[in-house]
Amino acid sequence: LSKVLDLPPENLIKSISAVPVSKKRHVADFQLSIASVTEGSSSDCLAQDLNLQAQKLAERLKCDAVVSEISAGPGTVNFTINRELLARTVLQQVLKDGSEYGVKSELFSTVPRQKAVIEFSSPNIAKKFHIGHLRSTIVGNFIANLKVALGHEVIRINYLGDWGMQFGLLAVGFQRFGNKDKLKSSPLQHLFEVYVQINKAAEDENTKKLAKDFFRKLEEHDEQPLSLWKQFRDFSIEEYIRIYKRLGVHFDEYSGESFYQEKSQEVLKMLEDKGLLQKTVKGTGIVDVSEKKDLSSFSTVMRSDGTSLYITRQVSPSVDLAAAIDRMNKHSWDTMIYVTDKSQSNHFQHLFQILKLMGYDWAERCQHVSFGLVQGMKTRRGEVIFLEDVLNEVRSRMLQNMASTKTTKEIEDPMETAEKVGLAALIIQDFRGPLSSDYQFSWDRALQSRGDTGVFLQYTHARLHSLEQMHGNEQLTDVNVACLQEPSAISVLQHLLRYDEVLYRSSQDLQPKHIVSYLLTLSHLAAVAHKTLPVKGSTPELAQARLRLFQAARSVLANGMKLLGITPVTQM
């Protein structure tokens, strides 16, 4: 192509893509998009012009030892690769690159290695860990996994709601209803219960006064209140670490609003010095973030009594401004990503705009990855209050399903397997569509064993794994894979060709859905191949070649699942 089109080969790489496998018909392996290599903008070219150009180009190209067939399609030139070469090259590459298959592709050769800070999960101490926090946790974990796989340096930050008036109330509640042993053994649950109880008395003047006093002392760093607050925080984090571990999630840093109290005062002073802070009649501090500077859009950064607003994240950017500036100073990152639900989009838009107004041009490299709301996730005991409720529920439902299916073999650790399969179900249901869309959660749909579910992915992985176990673990050196000519084998090979493009798409828009639909298709194709290409009873040469194919499919399936935050199971 480079000779005929007189273009350097590296310019062509992005214009050539692997052809998605079709159930209905046999397809070529690669296609060149004509629009992307013709001069001028593609909208100038009419469809028939492009088709004509494709035909002309196809006529000028000749088949060789690599390409066995060239044809023109609608605006594309299609290439079919010599079948033996296809099988040999793809399988060699998958086995050689192992967990780095797809990541080493030339698609990523021009992407600079960067340092990314990702803030996700971020629950509030003593409050419900709602489904939005769960979404933030699994989405943030996926983005971090993907970036690490692509060779970037990632700092995972959990930014806790660990400050504010509610801690005054919580402390008063703890003095009345608290129990030191319960705080140690199950802090999240105990603090939540205390908070619910004291909230019933929150309107009582005496309670209000005590809460205010406690919080004032806390702000003045009075030793006793500080030590109680620290216990609330430390025990909660310890328990979170244990639960996150069940999810396969970890953090490099547990930060929180409490870290930035003094710094947020400094930010207010900077805003004042730069002439960005305006006072309303009531004395509230605001920053004008409108285009025309007509206050049509503004952000409130300070209460009328001069304290920065850290009641809730929705309201107060000054703490977030301080956190962003501090992280830049500490980590000098290339990109910072906040993963929260879409109701906070406005907050982050304002945040990034104020940073820009303050003269921080790195605000351009901040990004808010937002997601929609999930309706209807309930456990058998009622609504979800703790993350652990969800994990226990998914495990018990999966155990029940496993017990009732006839194909379940005796497995070593049914509890752990049930948890891993159940989590896969949860994650796939969440990641199938665009992150921004809301969806209705359904346990039954998520935990189906057939169809496009996480259970089906795990089942496929376990099945391919046991096939390998049964037929020879000996590492074969000189397998002749040239005999893999059946349509179902070719489909798997063609699909494996596309893995790098799918990773590339997800790395561009940070959406897991591309990888999810790729893995579901891979599992369906592997199931068809498993049916039509028996290993047992075939000649040794054929058996070895087919095993090699299934091994490659399992390897890529496992890689993709791990990126999504799923631990592949080997028995089910």
Side-chain angles (χ1 to χ4, degrees):
L1 277 171
S2 156
K3 269 201 201 100
V4 171
L5 292 171
D6 195 22
L7 286 168
E10 51 274 21
N11 290 24
L12 294 166
I13 282 172
K14 291 252 163 81
S15 310
I16 298 172
S17 57
V19 180
V21 175
S22 154
K23 276 189 183 145
K24 298 183 188 63
R25 53 194 179 82
H26 147 82
V27 292
D29 303 315
F30 289 103
Q31 60 184 24
L32 168 77
S33 142
I34 291 290
S36 64
V37 291
T38 46
E39 287 304 307
S41 76
S42 51
S43 55
D44 301 344
C45 296
L46 296 168
Q48 60 247 50
D49 288 351
L50 287 177
N51 294 353
L52 195 65
Q53 282 182 357
Q55 266 167 335
K56 280 190 178 150
L57 180 57
E59 283 160 17
R60 290 171 64 196
L61 298 165
K62 292 186 177 51
C63 294
D64 57 16
V66 175
V67 178
S68 60
E69 205 181 307
I70 301 171
S71 65
T76 59
V77 176
N78 303 322
F79 301 91
T80 302
I81 304 299
N82 166 331
R83 288 293 166 242
E84 289 181 22
L85 186 75
L86 179 76
R88 223 177 27 243
T89 314
V90 172
L91 297 180
Q92 243 170 3
Q93 196 76 46
V94 173
L95 295 173
K96 188 179 109 225
D97 290 350
S99 62
E100 293 191 310
Y101 176 69
V103 174
K104 287 181 151 182
S105 156
E106 59 275 320
L107 285 177
F108 295 105
S109 57
T110 54
V111 178
R113 300 276 174 269
Q114 290 187 325
K115 187 180 205 178
V117 166
I118 305 175
E119 180 198 298
F120 62 105
S121 195
S122 309
N124 300 307
I125 288 177
K127 294 197 180 165
K128 283 195 316 204
F129 188 104
H130 58 76
I131 190 70
H133 293 127
L134 175 63
R135 263 204 117 171
S136 171
T137 308
I138 59 180
V139 172
N141 188 47
F142 158 71
I143 295 172
N145 290 346
L146 182 62
K147 291 212 171 270
V148 167
L150 296 173
H152 303 294
E153 186 186 340
V154 171
I155 294 148
R156 304 164 186 243
I157 296 182
N158 198 339
Y159 184 74
L160 302 169
D162 64 357
W163 198 252
M165 239 3 241
Q166 78 259 26
F167 279 90
L169 199 55
L170 185 62
V172 175
F174 192 73
Q175 280 148 5
R176 272 186 219 170
F177 314 112
N179 173 321
K180 281 263 151 77
D181 294 335
K182 280 188 179 170
L183 179 65
K184 271 200 175 117
S185 62
S186 52
L188 300 178
Q189 194 169 351
H190 186 53
L191 288 175
F192 178 73
E193 282 160 5
V194 166
Y195 193 56
V196 169
Q197 273 178 294
I198 192 68
N199 250 316
K200 291 175 186 153
E203 288 311 303
D204 161 57
E205 286 309 314
N206 186 34
T207 306
K208 265 190 192 161
K209 186 181 170 313
L210 288 170
K212 249 194 169 136
D213 289 347
F214 182 92
F215 188 57
R216 202 193 62 247
K217 286 183 189 156
L218 192 56
E219 290 196 293
E220 289 160 2
H221 298 292
D222 192 322
E223 212 162 295
Q224 224 176 340
L226 208 57
S227 117
L228 184 62
W229 168 82
K230 207 171 160 345
Q231 280 182 29
F232 291 167
R233 190 179 191 276
D234 292 351
F235 286 139
S236 295
I237 289 177
E238 251 170 67
E239 192 174 1
Y240 270 131
I241 289 173
R242 180 180 65 75
I243 300 166
Y244 283 132
K245 204 170 172 177
R246 279 178 69 180
L247 258 180
V249 172
H250 70 276
F251 291 92
D252 302 301
E253 208 175 286
Y254 280 85
S255 167
E257 298 170 4
S258 60
F259 283 61
Y260 298 109
Q261 296 325 306
E262 277 91 50
K263 289 199 167 93
S264 73
Q265 293 302 321
E266 290 164 27
V267 166
L268 292 174
K269 185 154 178 6
M270 284 164 75
L271 287 169
E272 206 164 5
D273 294 347
K274 289 185 188 294
L276 295 167
L277 189 66
Q278 302 182 27
K279 293 272 171 70
T280 63
V281 187
K282 290 188 183 137
T284 325
I286 59 170
V287 176
D288 186 353
V289 289
S290 61
E291 291 276 306
K292 297 182 174 154
K293 296 282 162 262
D294 56 4
L295 284 177
S296 56
S297 160
F298 63 85
S299 182
T300 307
V301 291
M302 189 176 83
R303 283 201 298 250
S304 52
D305 60 4
T307 55
S308 69
L309 273 166
Y310 39 64
I311 315 155
T312 62
R313 178 161 220 173
Q314 268 81 339
V315 202
S316 160
S318 67
V319 179
D320 278 349
L321 289 166
I325 295 164
D326 179 60
R327 286 173 197 168
M328 189 46 158
N329 294 339
K330 193 163 143 195
H331 298 298
S332 57
W333 43 262
D334 299 298
T335 170
M336 177 155 63
I337 297 169
Y338 297 87
V339 185
T340 74
D341 71 68
K342 59 186 179 189
S343 70
Q344 300 195 15
S345 297
N346 234 355
H347 168 82
F348 285 105
Q349 253 174 326
H350 286 176
L351 180 70
F352 303 158
Q353 264 171 307
I354 296 172
L355 285 166
K356 242 185 259 176
L357 291 171
M358 290 173 81
Y360 294 115
D361 49 3
W362 46 255
E364 301 273 344
R365 293 182 273 135
C366 293
Q367 189 181 356
H368 177 216
V369 172
S370 62
F371 51 80
L373 308 173
V374 183
Q375 270 97 23
M377 184 187 242
K378 286 197 169 29
T379 66
R380 293 201 172 101
R381 299 222 307 270
E383 64 159 341
V384 171
I385 297 178
F386 306 108
L387 173 56
E388 197 148 23
D389 295 343
V390 182
L391 298 181
N392 293 344
E393 181 82 10
V394 72
R395 183 170 66 191
S396 76
R397 282 178 185 258
M398 203 56 228
L399 268 173
Q400 223 178 348
N401 287 8
M402 280 160 55
S404 65
T405 41
K406 298 178 189 60
T407 52
T408 302
K409 300 185 184 72
E410 280 299 307
I411 50 182
E412 283 147 33
D413 189 345
M415 290 282 272
E416 193 167 321
T417 301
E419 178 139 302
K420 286 174 182 162
V421 175
L423 272 175
L426 218 60
I427 289 171
I428 295 299
Q429 168 147 302
D430 198 275
F431 285 179
R432 278 187 59 190
L435 291 178
S436 58
S437 59
D438 305 337
Y439 74 91
Q440 194 66 35
F441 182 84
S442 148
W443 285 110
D444 293 340
R445 200 175 59 232
L447 297 173
Q448 274 172 358
S449 54
R450 305 229 176 290
D452 290 344
T453 64
V455 181
F456 173 58
L457 289 186
Q458 288 285 31
Y459 175 69
T460 306
H461 184 273
R463 209 167 153 201
L464 292 173
H465 184 266
S466 69
L467 188 69
E468 276 172 55
Q469 295 300 3
M470 262 162 37
H471 300 282
N473 259 342
E474 65 271 17
Q475 278 305 314
L476 323 151
T477 38
D478 46 356
V479 181
N480 178 14
V481 291
C483 55
L484 294 171
Q485 299 289 327
E486 300 83 355
S488 59
I490 299 287
S491 291
V492 172
L493 293 166
Q494 287 179 320
H495 195 59
L496 293 175
L497 274 181
R498 277 188 61 227
Y499 186 56
D500 61 338
E501 294 174 21
V502 173
L503 291 182
Y504 185 75
R505 273 187 77 177
S506 277
S507 74
Q508 292 294 297
D509 64 9
L510 302 182
Q511 296 279 334
K513 63 176 185 181
H514 312 302
I515 295 175
V516 170
S517 83
Y518 176 88
L519 296 179
L520 288 165
T521 302
L522 177 59
S523 296
H524 286 297
L525 293 172
V528 173
H530 190 260
K531 237 195 239 125
T532 53
L533 307 174
V535 173
K536 202 173 162 183
S538 306
T539 62
E541 187 185 44
L542 200 52
Q544 297 296 0
R546 286 174 179 176
L547 267 180
R548 187 49 66 94
L549 178 74
F550 291 125
Q551 202 183 351
R554 186 190 67 79
S555 167
V556 174
L557 180 59
N559 294 346
M561 286 164 81
K562 287 175 192 159
L563 285 181
L564 298 173
I566 296 170
T567 307
V569 298
T570 53
Q571 324 170 280
M572 213 172 127

